[in-house]
Amino acid sequence: MTKKDDGGIRTGKESSKSLKYAQEVKSTSDRPERPGRSLATTSHDVIKQWAERRDAKPATVEGTEHGDHLGVLRLDFPATAAGRSST
């Protein structure tokens, strides 16, 4: 019998060591255990809410497609006053 994949964070030997210390967020109602806590998630709802609060727009990276799969997803953020060119 195979174990059902719950979509959680992968913590095997190939995973980033930083995930070992991150708090997993599975719901939009989850909050950090303490200020400055590293958070990690694979929840589409959590990612979507986080991005929407920051006016980020989803985009794909050209050339990373595989057949019908879109490839690498990125988030594009609006320019900020500090990041805008003066020209």
PDB file of all heavy atoms in Angstrom, residues 37-68:
ATOM      1  N   ARG A  37       9.365  34.333  11.994  1.00  0.00           N
ATOM      2  CA  ARG A  37       9.420  32.890  11.765  1.00  0.00           C
ATOM      3  C   ARG A  37       9.415  32.606  10.275  1.00  0.00           C
ATOM      4  O   ARG A  37       8.622  33.183   9.512  1.00  0.00           O
ATOM      5  CB  ARG A  37       8.204  32.228  12.420  1.00  0.00           C
ATOM      6  CG  ARG A  37       8.107  30.738  12.247  1.00  0.00           C
ATOM      7  CD  ARG A  37       9.022  30.047  13.237  1.00  0.00           C
ATOM      8  NE  ARG A  37       8.586  28.680  13.456  1.00  0.00           N
ATOM      9  CZ  ARG A  37       9.369  27.639  13.198  1.00  0.00           C
ATOM     10  NH1 ARG A  37      10.592  27.810  12.777  1.00  0.00           N
ATOM     11  NH2 ARG A  37       8.930  26.436  13.402  1.00  0.00           N
ATOM     12  N   SER A  38      10.293  31.724   9.809  1.00  0.00           N
ATOM     13  CA  SER A  38      10.288  31.294   8.408  1.00  0.00           C
ATOM     14  C   SER A  38       9.065  30.420   8.180  1.00  0.00           C
ATOM     15  O   SER A  38       8.771  29.538   8.993  1.00  0.00           O
ATOM     16  CB  SER A  38      11.548  30.491   8.089  1.00  0.00           C
ATOM     17  OG  SER A  38      12.678  31.301   8.175  1.00  0.00           O
ATOM     18  N   LEU A  39       8.368  30.666   7.092  1.00  0.00           N
ATOM     19  CA  LEU A  39       7.169  29.916   6.769  1.00  0.00           C
ATOM     20  C   LEU A  39       7.349  29.209   5.432  1.00  0.00           C
ATOM     21  O   LEU A  39       8.065  29.699   4.558  1.00  0.00           O
ATOM     22  CB  LEU A  39       5.960  30.850   6.679  1.00  0.00           C
ATOM     23  CG  LEU A  39       5.690  31.720   7.900  1.00  0.00           C
ATOM     24  CD1 LEU A  39       4.542  32.684   7.616  1.00  0.00           C
ATOM     25  CD2 LEU A  39       5.397  30.880   9.121  1.00  0.00           C
ATOM     26  N   ALA A  40       6.706  28.066   5.287  1.00  0.00           N
ATOM     27  CA  ALA A  40       6.749  27.319   4.035  1.00  0.00           C
ATOM     28  C   ALA A  40       5.369  26.725   3.789  1.00  0.00           C
ATOM     29  O   ALA A  40       4.665  26.347   4.727  1.00  0.00           O
ATOM     30  CB  ALA A  40       7.795  26.211   4.116  1.00  0.00           C
ATOM     31  N   THR A  41       4.974  26.659   2.528  1.00  0.00           N
ATOM     32  CA  THR A  41       3.676  26.081   2.191  1.00  0.00           C
ATOM     33  C   THR A  41       3.673  25.538   0.775  1.00  0.00           C
ATOM     34  O   THR A  41       4.465  25.971  -0.067  1.00  0.00           O
ATOM     35  CB  THR A  41       2.542  27.119   2.346  1.00  0.00           C
ATOM     36  OG1 THR A  41       1.283  26.443   2.241  1.00  0.00           O
ATOM     37  CG2 THR A  41       2.626  28.213   1.304  1.00  0.00           C
ATOM     38  N   THR A  42       2.774  24.604   0.548  1.00  0.00           N
ATOM     39  CA  THR A  42       2.472  24.137  -0.801  1.00  0.00           C
ATOM     40  C   THR A  42       0.987  24.362  -1.087  1.00  0.00           C
ATOM     41  O   THR A  42       0.486  23.933  -2.115  1.00  0.00           O
ATOM     42  CB  THR A  42       2.808  22.639  -0.969  1.00  0.00           C
ATOM     43  OG1 THR A  42       2.090  21.893   0.011  1.00  0.00           O
ATOM     44  CG2 THR A  42       4.298  22.384  -0.828  1.00  0.00           C
ATOM     45  N   SER A  43       0.308  25.049  -0.180  1.00  0.00           N
ATOM     46  CA  SER A  43      -1.125  25.303  -0.307  1.00  0.00           C
ATOM     47  C   SER A  43      -1.384  26.392  -1.346  1.00  0.00           C
ATOM     48  O   SER A  43      -0.929  27.527  -1.197  1.00  0.00           O
ATOM     49  CB  SER A  43      -1.709  25.735   1.036  1.00  0.00           C
ATOM     50  OG  SER A  43      -3.000  26.284   0.869  1.00  0.00           O
ATOM     51  N   HIS A  44      -2.129  26.061  -2.367  1.00  0.00           N
ATOM     52  CA  HIS A  44      -2.446  27.041  -3.409  1.00  0.00           C
ATOM     53  C   HIS A  44      -3.239  28.209  -2.844  1.00  0.00           C
ATOM     54  O   HIS A  44      -3.027  29.357  -3.244  1.00  0.00           O
ATOM     55  CB  HIS A  44      -3.221  26.377  -4.546  1.00  0.00           C
ATOM     56  CG  HIS A  44      -2.400  25.409  -5.326  1.00  0.00           C
ATOM     57  ND1 HIS A  44      -2.687  25.056  -6.615  1.00  0.00           N
ATOM     58  CD2 HIS A  44      -1.294  24.709  -5.003  1.00  0.00           C
ATOM     59  CE1 HIS A  44      -1.794  24.183  -7.055  1.00  0.00           C
ATOM     60  NE2 HIS A  44      -0.939  23.959  -6.089  1.00  0.00           N
ATOM     61  N   ASP A  45      -4.148  27.938  -1.903  1.00  0.00           N
ATOM     62  CA  ASP A  45      -4.944  29.012  -1.308  1.00  0.00           C
ATOM     63  C   ASP A  45      -4.072  29.983  -0.521  1.00  0.00           C
ATOM     64  O   ASP A  45      -4.244  31.194  -0.611  1.00  0.00           O
ATOM     65  CB  ASP A  45      -6.034  28.450  -0.388  1.00  0.00           C
ATOM     66  CG  ASP A  45      -7.145  27.749  -1.155  1.00  0.00           C
ATOM     67  OD1 ASP A  45      -7.329  28.071  -2.352  1.00  0.00           O
ATOM     68  OD2 ASP A  45      -7.822  26.890  -0.564  1.00  0.00           O
ATOM     69  N   VAL A  46      -3.134  29.457   0.256  1.00  0.00           N
ATOM     70  CA  VAL A  46      -2.240  30.312   1.043  1.00  0.00           C
ATOM     71  C   VAL A  46      -1.368  31.159   0.119  1.00  0.00           C
ATOM     72  O   VAL A  46      -1.215  32.368   0.325  1.00  0.00           O
ATOM     73  CB  VAL A  46      -1.366  29.463   2.001  1.00  0.00           C
ATOM     74  CG1 VAL A  46      -0.301  30.311   2.664  1.00  0.00           C
ATOM     75  CG2 VAL A  46      -2.238  28.777   3.049  1.00  0.00           C
ATOM     76  N   ILE A  47      -0.810  30.547  -0.906  1.00  0.00           N
ATOM     77  CA  ILE A  47       0.049  31.267  -1.852  1.00  0.00           C
ATOM     78  C   ILE A  47      -0.752  32.341  -2.581  1.00  0.00           C
ATOM     79  O   ILE A  47      -0.303  33.480  -2.716  1.00  0.00           O
ATOM     80  CB  ILE A  47       0.702  30.292  -2.848  1.00  0.00           C
ATOM     81  CG1 ILE A  47       1.660  29.354  -2.100  1.00  0.00           C
ATOM     82  CG2 ILE A  47       1.422  31.046  -3.969  1.00  0.00           C
ATOM     83  CD1 ILE A  47       2.100  28.146  -2.907  1.00  0.00           C
ATOM     84  N   LYS A  48      -1.954  31.991  -3.020  1.00  0.00           N
ATOM     85  CA  LYS A  48      -2.798  32.941  -3.744  1.00  0.00           C
ATOM     86  C   LYS A  48      -3.135  34.149  -2.863  1.00  0.00           C
ATOM     87  O   LYS A  48      -3.013  35.296  -3.299  1.00  0.00           O
ATOM     88  CB  LYS A  48      -4.077  32.252  -4.213  1.00  0.00           C
ATOM     89  CG  LYS A  48      -4.997  33.140  -5.003  1.00  0.00           C
ATOM     90  CD  LYS A  48      -6.231  32.379  -5.463  1.00  0.00           C
ATOM     91  CE  LYS A  48      -7.170  33.308  -6.202  1.00  0.00           C
ATOM     92  NZ  LYS A  48      -8.401  32.632  -6.592  1.00  0.00           N
ATOM     93  N   GLN A  49      -3.531  33.895  -1.611  1.00  0.00           N
ATOM     94  CA  GLN A  49      -3.869  34.995  -0.707  1.00  0.00           C
ATOM     95  C   GLN A  49      -2.652  35.877  -0.432  1.00  0.00           C
ATOM     96  O   GLN A  49      -2.743  37.102  -0.439  1.00  0.00           O
ATOM     97  CB  GLN A  49      -4.435  34.448   0.607  1.00  0.00           C
ATOM     98  CG  GLN A  49      -4.893  35.543   1.550  1.00  0.00           C
ATOM     99  CD  GLN A  49      -5.411  34.985   2.847  1.00  0.00           C
ATOM    100  OE1 GLN A  49      -4.621  34.528   3.666  1.00  0.00           O
ATOM    101  NE2 GLN A  49      -6.721  35.002   3.019  1.00  0.00           N
ATOM    102  N   TRP A  50      -1.492  35.267  -0.211  1.00  0.00           N
ATOM    103  CA  TRP A  50      -0.262  36.011   0.058  1.00  0.00           C
ATOM    104  C   TRP A  50       0.055  36.919  -1.134  1.00  0.00           C
ATOM    105  O   TRP A  50       0.364  38.096  -0.969  1.00  0.00           O
ATOM    106  CB  TRP A  50       0.871  35.031   0.324  1.00  0.00           C
ATOM    107  CG  TRP A  50       2.167  35.656   0.660  1.00  0.00           C
ATOM    108  CD1 TRP A  50       2.634  35.974   1.906  1.00  0.00           C
ATOM    109  CD2 TRP A  50       3.196  36.056  -0.260  1.00  0.00           C
ATOM    110  NE1 TRP A  50       3.881  36.539   1.813  1.00  0.00           N
ATOM    111  CE2 TRP A  50       4.250  36.604   0.503  1.00  0.00           C
ATOM    112  CE3 TRP A  50       3.324  36.004  -1.642  1.00  0.00           C
ATOM    113  CZ2 TRP A  50       5.412  37.091  -0.083  1.00  0.00           C
ATOM    114  CZ3 TRP A  50       4.481  36.496  -2.223  1.00  0.00           C
ATOM    115  CH2 TRP A  50       5.508  37.028  -1.445  1.00  0.00           C
ATOM    116  N   ALA A  51      -0.040  36.365  -2.339  1.00  0.00           N
ATOM    117  CA  ALA A  51       0.276  37.124  -3.546  1.00  0.00           C
ATOM    118  C   ALA A  51      -0.731  38.253  -3.778  1.00  0.00           C
ATOM    119  O   ALA A  51      -0.344  39.374  -4.121  1.00  0.00           O
ATOM    120  CB  ALA A  51       0.308  36.183  -4.751  1.00  0.00           C
ATOM    121  N   GLU A  52      -2.011  37.964  -3.576  1.00  0.00           N
ATOM    122  CA  GLU A  52      -3.044  38.988  -3.785  1.00  0.00           C
ATOM    123  C   GLU A  52      -2.856  40.168  -2.839  1.00  0.00           C
ATOM    124  O   GLU A  52      -3.051  41.317  -3.242  1.00  0.00           O
ATOM    125  CB  GLU A  52      -4.437  38.383  -3.611  1.00  0.00           C
ATOM    126  CG  GLU A  52      -4.860  37.515  -4.775  1.00  0.00           C
ATOM    127  CD  GLU A  52      -6.177  36.792  -4.552  1.00  0.00           C
ATOM    128  OE1 GLU A  52      -6.699  36.776  -3.410  1.00  0.00           O
ATOM    129  OE2 GLU A  52      -6.695  36.217  -5.534  1.00  0.00           O
ATOM    130  N   ARG A  53      -2.469  39.899  -1.603  1.00  0.00           N
ATOM    131  CA  ARG A  53      -2.252  40.980  -0.627  1.00  0.00           C
ATOM    132  C   ARG A  53      -1.095  41.891  -1.037  1.00  0.00           C
ATOM    133  O   ARG A  53      -0.983  43.015  -0.576  1.00  0.00           O
ATOM    134  CB  ARG A  53      -1.973  40.399   0.753  1.00  0.00           C
ATOM    135  CG  ARG A  53      -3.198  39.841   1.418  1.00  0.00           C
ATOM    136  CD  ARG A  53      -2.877  39.364   2.807  1.00  0.00           C
ATOM    137  NE  ARG A  53      -4.082  38.924   3.470  1.00  0.00           N
ATOM    138  CZ  ARG A  53      -4.094  38.320   4.636  1.00  0.00           C
ATOM    139  NH1 ARG A  53      -2.962  38.079   5.266  1.00  0.00           N
ATOM    140  NH2 ARG A  53      -5.230  37.951   5.189  1.00  0.00           N
ATOM    141  N   ARG A  54      -0.232  41.397  -1.902  1.00  0.00           N
ATOM    142  CA  ARG A  54       0.936  42.158  -2.348  1.00  0.00           C
ATOM    143  C   ARG A  54       0.813  42.602  -3.811  1.00  0.00           C
ATOM    144  O   ARG A  54       1.771  43.025  -4.423  1.00  0.00           O
ATOM    145  CB  ARG A  54       2.191  41.320  -2.142  1.00  0.00           C
ATOM    146  CG  ARG A  54       2.503  41.151  -0.661  1.00  0.00           C
ATOM    147  CD  ARG A  54       3.360  39.920  -0.392  1.00  0.00           C
ATOM    148  NE  ARG A  54       3.666  39.823   1.027  1.00  0.00           N
ATOM    149  CZ  ARG A  54       2.840  39.324   1.946  1.00  0.00           C
ATOM    150  NH1 ARG A  54       1.648  38.869   1.592  1.00  0.00           N
ATOM    151  NH2 ARG A  54       3.183  39.269   3.220  1.00  0.00           N
ATOM    152  N   ASP A  55      -0.402  42.477  -4.365  1.00  0.00           N
ATOM    153  CA  ASP A  55      -0.682  42.840  -5.758  1.00  0.00           C
ATOM    154  C   ASP A  55       0.197  42.105  -6.763  1.00  0.00           C
ATOM    155  O   ASP A  55       0.488  42.615  -7.844  1.00  0.00           O
ATOM    156  CB  ASP A  55      -0.558  44.355  -5.973  1.00  0.00           C
ATOM    157  CG  ASP A  55      -1.618  45.126  -5.222  1.00  0.00           C
ATOM    158  OD1 ASP A  55      -2.757  44.614  -5.108  1.00  0.00           O
ATOM    159  OD2 ASP A  55      -1.325  46.237  -4.749  1.00  0.00           O
ATOM    160  N   ALA A  56       0.643  40.909  -6.398  1.00  0.00           N
ATOM    161  CA  ALA A  56       1.473  40.113  -7.303  1.00  0.00           C
ATOM    162  C   ALA A  56       0.598  39.427  -8.345  1.00  0.00           C
ATOM    163  O   ALA A  56      -0.535  39.053  -8.074  1.00  0.00           O
ATOM    164  CB  ALA A  56       2.257  39.066  -6.518  1.00  0.00           C
ATOM    165  N   LYS A  57       1.132  39.279  -9.524  1.00  0.00           N
ATOM    166  CA  LYS A  57       0.426  38.608 -10.611  1.00  0.00           C
ATOM    167  C   LYS A  57       1.208  37.353 -11.003  1.00  0.00           C
ATOM    168  O   LYS A  57       2.430  37.409 -11.198  1.00  0.00           O
ATOM    169  CB  LYS A  57       0.312  39.522 -11.829  1.00  0.00           C
ATOM    170  CG  LYS A  57      -0.374  40.845 -11.541  1.00  0.00           C
ATOM    171  CD  LYS A  57      -1.812  40.652 -11.171  1.00  0.00           C
ATOM    172  CE  LYS A  57      -2.467  41.987 -10.907  1.00  0.00           C
ATOM    173  NZ  LYS A  57      -3.477  41.928  -9.891  1.00  0.00           N
ATOM    174  N   PRO A  58       0.516  36.211 -11.142  1.00  0.00           N
ATOM    175  CA  PRO A  58       1.207  34.991 -11.551  1.00  0.00           C
ATOM    176  C   PRO A  58       1.663  35.071 -12.998  1.00  0.00           C
ATOM    177  O   PRO A  58       0.997  35.665 -13.842  1.00  0.00           O
ATOM    178  CB  PRO A  58       0.162  33.900 -11.354  1.00  0.00           C
ATOM    179  CG  PRO A  58      -1.146  34.599 -11.396  1.00  0.00           C
ATOM    180  CD  PRO A  58      -0.906  36.000 -10.919  1.00  0.00           C
ATOM    181  N   ALA A  59       2.816  34.498 -13.262  1.00  0.00           N
ATOM    182  CA  ALA A  59       3.361  34.439 -14.621  1.00  0.00           C
ATOM    183  C   ALA A  59       4.197  33.169 -14.724  1.00  0.00           C
ATOM    184  O   ALA A  59       4.627  32.612 -13.718  1.00  0.00           O
ATOM    185  CB  ALA A  59       4.222  35.665 -14.903  1.00  0.00           C
ATOM    186  N   THR A  60       4.406  32.707 -15.913  1.00  0.00           N
ATOM    187  CA  THR A  60       5.267  31.542 -16.115  1.00  0.00           C
ATOM    188  C   THR A  60       6.575  31.985 -16.762  1.00  0.00           C
ATOM    189  O   THR A  60       6.642  33.016 -17.421  1.00  0.00           O
ATOM    190  CB  THR A  60       4.590  30.475 -16.994  1.00  0.00           C
ATOM    191  OG1 THR A  60       4.219  31.062 -18.236  1.00  0.00           O
ATOM    192  CG2 THR A  60       3.357  29.900 -16.314  1.00  0.00           C
ATOM    193  N   VAL A  61       7.599  31.180 -16.554  1.00  0.00           N
ATOM    194  CA  VAL A  61       8.911  31.466 -17.122  1.00  0.00           C
ATOM    195  C   VAL A  61       8.986  30.815 -18.495  1.00  0.00           C
ATOM    196  O   VAL A  61       8.858  29.590 -18.626  1.00  0.00           O
ATOM    197  CB  VAL A  61      10.034  30.943 -16.200  1.00  0.00           C
ATOM    198  CG1 VAL A  61      11.397  31.164 -16.830  1.00  0.00           C
ATOM    199  CG2 VAL A  61       9.942  31.615 -14.829  1.00  0.00           C
ATOM    200  N   GLU A  62       9.156  31.648 -19.510  1.00  0.00           N
ATOM    201  CA  GLU A  62       9.215  31.169 -20.890  1.00  0.00           C
ATOM    202  C   GLU A  62      10.344  30.162 -21.060  1.00  0.00           C
ATOM    203  O   GLU A  62      11.449  30.347 -20.536  1.00  0.00           O
ATOM    204  CB  GLU A  62       9.430  32.355 -21.828  1.00  0.00           C
ATOM    205  CG  GLU A  62       9.253  32.010 -23.284  1.00  0.00           C
ATOM    206  CD  GLU A  62       9.326  33.225 -24.191  1.00  0.00           C
ATOM    207  OE1 GLU A  62       8.983  34.335 -23.732  1.00  0.00           O
ATOM    208  OE2 GLU A  62       9.723  33.042 -25.348  1.00  0.00           O
ATOM    209  N   GLY A  63      10.046  29.092 -21.777  1.00  0.00           N
ATOM    210  CA  GLY A  63      11.050  28.074 -22.055  1.00  0.00           C
ATOM    211  C   GLY A  63      11.097  26.949 -21.032  1.00  0.00           C
ATOM    212  O   GLY A  63      11.892  26.019 -21.174  1.00  0.00           O
ATOM    213  N   THR A  64      10.263  27.008 -20.002  1.00  0.00           N
ATOM    214  CA  THR A  64      10.271  25.946 -18.985  1.00  0.00           C
ATOM    215  C   THR A  64       9.084  24.998 -19.136  1.00  0.00           C
ATOM    216  O   THR A  64       8.892  24.118 -18.314  1.00  0.00           O
ATOM    217  CB  THR A  64      10.261  26.540 -17.556  1.00  0.00           C
ATOM    218  OG1 THR A  64       9.062  27.298 -17.363  1.00  0.00           O
ATOM    219  CG2 THR A  64      11.475  27.416 -17.323  1.00  0.00           C
ATOM    220  N   GLU A  65       8.312  25.183 -20.196  1.00  0.00           N
ATOM    221  CA  GLU A  65       7.147  24.340 -20.432  1.00  0.00           C
ATOM    222  C   GLU A  65       7.584  22.909 -20.764  1.00  0.00           C
ATOM    223  O   GLU A  65       8.653  22.683 -21.320  1.00  0.00           O
ATOM    224  CB  GLU A  65       6.303  24.875 -21.596  1.00  0.00           C
ATOM    225  CG  GLU A  65       5.903  26.318 -21.484  1.00  0.00           C
ATOM    226  CD  GLU A  65       6.962  27.288 -22.012  1.00  0.00           C
ATOM    227  OE1 GLU A  65       8.013  26.851 -22.512  1.00  0.00           O
ATOM    228  OE2 GLU A  65       6.723  28.491 -21.905  1.00  0.00           O
ATOM    229  N   HIS A  66       6.710  21.975 -20.410  1.00  0.00           N
ATOM    230  CA  HIS A  66       6.937  20.558 -20.749  1.00  0.00           C
ATOM    231  C   HIS A  66       5.619  20.008 -21.273  1.00  0.00           C
ATOM    232  O   HIS A  66       4.725  19.707 -20.484  1.00  0.00           O
ATOM    233  CB  HIS A  66       7.384  19.760 -19.521  1.00  0.00           C
ATOM    234  CG  HIS A  66       8.697  20.191 -18.974  1.00  0.00           C
ATOM    235  ND1 HIS A  66       9.895  19.842 -19.549  1.00  0.00           N
ATOM    236  CD2 HIS A  66       9.001  20.966 -17.910  1.00  0.00           C
ATOM    237  CE1 HIS A  66      10.881  20.365 -18.865  1.00  0.00           C
ATOM    238  NE2 HIS A  66      10.368  21.060 -17.857  1.00  0.00           N
ATOM    239  N   GLY A  67       5.486  19.943 -22.591  1.00  0.00           N
ATOM    240  CA  GLY A  67       4.232  19.472 -23.176  1.00  0.00           C
ATOM    241  C   GLY A  67       3.092  20.399 -22.798  1.00  0.00           C
ATOM    242  O   GLY A  67       3.137  21.598 -23.048  1.00  0.00           O
ATOM    243  N   ASP A  68       2.074  19.846 -22.136  1.00  0.00           N
ATOM    244  CA  ASP A  68       0.911  20.635 -21.720  1.00  0.00           C
ATOM    245  C   ASP A  68       1.119  21.352 -20.388  1.00  0.00           C
ATOM    246  O   ASP A  68       0.260  22.100 -19.944  1.00  0.00           O
ATOM    247  CB  ASP A  68      -0.325  19.731 -21.597  1.00  0.00           C
ATOM    248  CG  ASP A  68      -0.786  19.190 -22.941  1.00  0.00           C
ATOM    249  OD1 ASP A  68      -0.400  19.766 -23.977  1.00  0.00           O
ATOM    250  OD2 ASP A  68      -1.532  18.198 -22.957  1.00  0.00           O
TER     251      ASP A  68
END
